[in-house]
Structures are given as structure tokens and as C-alpha cells.
């Protein structure tokens, strides 16, 4: 259950997936608190003219709670990517992850993210350059990809071998093709093939939503770890639940009081990280995920989500928790 990434040791095999708009510093902090062994922030574009934006700046930031400071880069220009590696390391990154999995049209129209899997020659150019830049900067580099472009072109094994040959330290494979987006049935067979093909650690990703699924995927693929994305939205305790299940000790879903403590801790971290206007707006989605299916949540949420200041949002939220007897 230990993965070595260059000089860094990762203890544990349940990881948080990078999710733009979700896995910011405060959310990573909460997932770490609930036992995520390794957490990856939101992707950052490799074009240097974007780095000064508030969005990119916040994505280059880390906190003590980050297990390892991982920056995920997205791009298709070798020169820009190389510069981005050095810049990310200057900003404190200890590991660079390369995104070859993003399916968004906005991304693929400029041939980066998962579009790179369609052009193996170009992919190799980028993997070579990133491998060399990471060696120069003395940081491990990792790859995140999909199983391929579409069902007829599943080349994760080829891409993974190239990455391993270029010195990449770990590969995460999302068990869908680019064409499959986020909804096609996930398949783990290709991930098992990648595990067989390379000698570096492989992380399995896609629809890991509980301990039973995690156990099955680890057994079927031989992967070194699982990575959880959407299953953690509004449920950061999932890391403890999965890790406990894998250790043979089931951990029940926390009760409402414990969950409320988590929400309030997350909220506090969120408001400490962002300026208030942005914090109020961006915390709304977390609240919608957290309160899904809770007793009498719909009318309470409608009120909370209308609030425009941090204090009034907190107050309405606490009114709801108090009315339910949770605080
Ligand atoms: C809202 C959202 C944002 C995402 N952003 C990124 C990203 O920045 N980088 C990346 O490699 N993958 C990104 N992904 C993909 C996830 O890391 C993961 O591969 C995918 O959601 C499948 O895992 P899951 O079924 O556990 O959610 C994103 C997914 C979602 C839903």
C-alpha cells in the first residue's frame, strides 16, 4: 500500500481525482482529513499568459494539508509545457501530472487533454519533453489518461508504455474512452492490460463509488490504488469508508452531526481561501451536493442558496441544522 514517487512516499491507496471547479485547496484539505492518501488539484493550462489570472494563481497554491503538492498541467505545445513544469516547481509543486484525459470540446479543439491520445506521435513528443523537463527540475512526473479515443481506438497500453519509457513515475487510467465522456459504462479490462504492460504503479479510476467497487477494481486490475472523483462530491468521508472496507473494517456513513461538522469545517476553509463574494457563490455547489437527500433539505437549500453574504449563508445553514437538532 505504499507508492514511491521519486523521493516521495505515498501511504495508502485511495486517492482524490483532479476535478476542475471542485478539488481546490479547501476541498483537498477536507478529503485529506477524511483519509484521502493522495490528492490532486485542478488542471492548469500550460499557456504562460494565463498564469497571472486569479483562477490559475489559486490552482498553483497548496496548503500544509496537501499530502504531496501535485500540479496537473494541460497543454499541447512542448515548449509551453516545459516552461510550465519549471514554473509549477517554482510555485512549490513536488509532482507534475500531465492531463491526457480531459474530454471537453473546448480542450479537444486545441488538441490537448484526451485528444492527444489520437495522435501517438505527437503524444510521444510531449511525453519526452515532459519527462526531460521533470528530470531537469528534479520532480517526478505522472500521467492521467483514458482507455483511448473511442471503442475502436483503445491505446492506453501504448501510451502508458511510452510514458513509462520516458521516466514517468505513475499512470492513472480512467476506464472510459474520450467518446464515452463521463457516462458510458466504465470498463476496467484495459486498466488491467496497462498494469500488465508497465512496471510503474497504475491507478484505476472511474465510478469508484464505494468500498465494494474499490475492492473489485483492485482485484480485477491489479492496480496499485484507486482514484475517486465524483463519488467524493458532498461525501468526502468516502475515503475513510473505502480505505476501511479495503482493510476489512467497515466504517459506516457518518451520522448527520459528524457530516455537519465536516460541512462547517469545509465552509470555514473555503471562506479563508477565497474572497467573500466568490466564496459565497462557489460554496453553493458544495452545499447542493452535501445536502442531497437530507431531511427537509429542498426548502432549506432554496433559502440558503439565495443568500448573498457569507454570514447570512452560514446563518441560514445553521438554522436548518439547528431545526433538525444536529447542532
Ligand atoms: C467536474 C469535473 C472536473 C474534472 N476535472 C478534471 C481535471 O481538471 N483533470 C483531470 O485529469 N480530470 C478531470 N476530471 C475527470 C476526473 O478526474 C475523473 O477522471 C472522472 O470524473 C472519472 O472518475 P469518477 O467516475 O470517480 O468521477 C473531472 C471530472 C469532473 C466530473
Amino acid at each position: 500500500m505504499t507508492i514511491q514517487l521519486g523521493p516521495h512516499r505515498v501511504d495508502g491507496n485511495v486517492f482524490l481525482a483532479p476535478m476542475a471547479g471542485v478539488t481546490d485547496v479547501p476541498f483537498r484539505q477536507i478529503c485529506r482529513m477524511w483519509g484521502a492518501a493522495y490528492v490532486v488539484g485542478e488542471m492548469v493550462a500550460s499557456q504562460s499568459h494565463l498564469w497571472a489570472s486569479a483562477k490559475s494563481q489559486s490552482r498553483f497554491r497548496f496548503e500544509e494539508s496537501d499530502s504531496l503538492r501535485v500540479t496537473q498541467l494541460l497543454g499541447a505545445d512542448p515548449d509551453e509545457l516545459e516552461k510550465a513544469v519549471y514554473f509549477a516547481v517554482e510555485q512549490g509543486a513536488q509532482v507534475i501530472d500531465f492531463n491526457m484525459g480531459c474530454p471537453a470540446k473546448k480542450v479537444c479543439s486545441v488538441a490537448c487533454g484526451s485528444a492527444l491520445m489520437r495522435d501517438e506521435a505527437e503524444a510521444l513528443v510531449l511525453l519526452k519533453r515532459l519527462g526531460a523537463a521533470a528530470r531537469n527540475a528534479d520532480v517526478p512526473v505522472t500521467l492521467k489518461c483514458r482507455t483511448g479515443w473511442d471503442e475502436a481506438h483503445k491505446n492506453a497500453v501504448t501510451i502508458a508504455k511510452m510514458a513509462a519509457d520516458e521516466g514517468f513515475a505513475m499512470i492513472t487510467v480512467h476506464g472510459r474512452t474520450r467518446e464515452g465522456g463521463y457516462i458510458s459504462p466504465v470498463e476496467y479490462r484495459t486498466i488491467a492490460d496497462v498494469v500488465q504492460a508497465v512496471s510503474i504503479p497504475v491507478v484505476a479510476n472511474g465510478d469508484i463509488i464505494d468500498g465494494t467497487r474499490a475492492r473489485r477494481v483492485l482485484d480485477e486490475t491489479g492496480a496499485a490504488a484507486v482514484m475517486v472523483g465524483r463519488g467524493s462530491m458532498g461525501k468526502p468521508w468516502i475515503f475513510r469508508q473505502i480505505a476501511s472496507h479495503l482493510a476489512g473494517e467497515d466504517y459506516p456513513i457518518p451520522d448527520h452531526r459528524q457530516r455537519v461538522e465536516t460541512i462547517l469545517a469545509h465552509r470555514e476553509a473555503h471562506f479563508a481561501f477565497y474572497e467573500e463574494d466568490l466564496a459565497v457563490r462557489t460554496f453553493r455547489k458544495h452545499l447542493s451536493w452535501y445536502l442531497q437527500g437530507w431531511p427537509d433539505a429542498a426548502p432549506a437549500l432554496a433559502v440558503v442558496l439565495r443568500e448573498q453574504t457569507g454570514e447570512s449563508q452560514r446563518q441560514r445553514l445553521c438554522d436548518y441544522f439547528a431545526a433538525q437538532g444536529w447542532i
Side-chain angles (χ1 to χ4, degrees):
M1 279 231 306
T2 297
I3 292 177
Q4 198 68 33
L5 291 179
H8 312 293
R9 199 183 128 118
V10 180
D11 288 315
N13 58 355
V14 190
F15 296 178
L16 171 67
M19 288 186 285
V22 184
T23 59
D24 54 7
V25 164
F27 187 65
R28 298 201 299 272
Q29 204 170 316
I30 295 301
C31 292
R32 285 284 294 154
M33 195 182 88
W34 278 105
Y38 183 80
V39 294
V40 186
E42 309 161 88
M43 62 188 175
V44 189
S46 58
Q47 295 104 308
S48 53
H49 68 276
L50 299 172
W51 297 339
S53 73
K55 196 182 206 178
S56 292
Q57 284 292 311
S58 81
R59 292 181 180 193
F60 279 118
R61 277 178 64 187
F62 300 101
E63 288 293 324
E64 275 308 298
S65 54
D66 282 304
S67 45
L68 262 177
R69 302 193 294 268
V70 188
T71 295
Q72 188 191 59
L73 297 176
L74 176 80
D77 180 298
D79 294 335
E80 281 178 345
L81 277 166
E82 182 178 349
K83 269 194 272 170
V85 169
Y86 300 133
F87 183 73
V89 172
E90 267 169 36
Q91 304 299 303
Q94 294 169 300
V95 178
I96 300 296
D97 186 50
F98 184 46
N99 181 329
M100 230 189 240
C102 185
K105 282 234 166 56
K106 186 169 82 168
V107 168
C108 290
S109 64
V110 290
C112 55
S114 58
L116 294 171
M117 295 190 77
R118 205 162 44 162
D119 185 345
E120 290 174 7
E122 192 51 36
L124 182 58
V125 168
L126 299 177
L127 294 172
K128 266 190 193 305
R129 190 68 84 85
L130 282 161
R135 269 191 301 283
N136 281 338
D138 206 16
V139 288
V141 60
T142 61
L143 177 71
K144 182 161 178 287
C145 66
R146 289 184 170 239
T147 53
W149 176 258
D150 59 23
E151 287 302 309
H153 302 92
K154 282 196 182 172
N155 59 348
V157 167
T158 307
I159 297 282
K161 280 185 178 166
M162 287 178 186
D165 288 347
E166 297 309 323
F168 278 58
M170 181 171 81
I171 298 173
T172 300
V173 185
H174 174 189
R176 290 189 175 87
T177 63
R178 186 265 168 196
E179 190 184 52
Y182 290 102
I183 50 168
S184 73
V186 69
E187 63 91 5
Y188 304 110
R189 182 64 249 163
T190 306
I191 303 180
D193 294 341
V194 172
V195 172
Q196 289 301 315
V198 296
S199 53
I200 56 176
V202 175
V203 181
N205 168 242
D207 288 2
I208 313 279
I209 39 140
D210 56 27
T212 311
R213 174 70 65 99
R215 176 79 276 157
R216 198 193 105 202
V217 172
L218 288 172
D219 290 347
E220 279 181 14
T221 61
V226 288
M227 183 176 261
V228 180
R230 288 163 296 176
S232 66
M233 292 171 166
K235 293 190 274 299
W237 38 84
I238 193 171
F239 297 99
R240 175 80 37 86
Q241 293 186 288
I242 293 179
S244 301
H245 183 86
L246 294 176
E249 313 154 4
D250 274 337
Y251 183 89
I253 183 164
D255 63 23
H256 278 101
R257 277 172 188 272
Q258 287 173 291
R259 286 186 260 165
V260 163
E261 271 174 31
T262 294
I263 296 171
L264 295 177
H266 184 179
R267 192 193 162 280
E268 202 165 300
H270 194 88
F271 277 75
F273 188 74
Y274 296 108
E275 53 90 13
E276 181 172 350
D277 276 1
L278 187 60
V280 170
R281 280 185 278 123
T282 51
F283 202 62
R284 288 179 183 144
K285 61 178 176 272
H286 291 287
L287 288 173
S288 305
W289 294 327
Y290 276 123
L291 301 189
Q292 224 166 56
W294 286 31
D296 307 323
L301 200 53
V303 172
V304 172
L305 298 187
R306 266 202 306 272
E307 294 300 339
Q308 300 293 327
T309 69
E311 183 44 33
S312 58
Q313 190 186 67
R314 191 193 66 79
Q315 194 54 57
R316 298 288 87 74
L317 190 61
C318 288
D319 289 347
Y320 166 60
F321 294 154
Q324 297 292 331
W326 299 324
I327 54 172

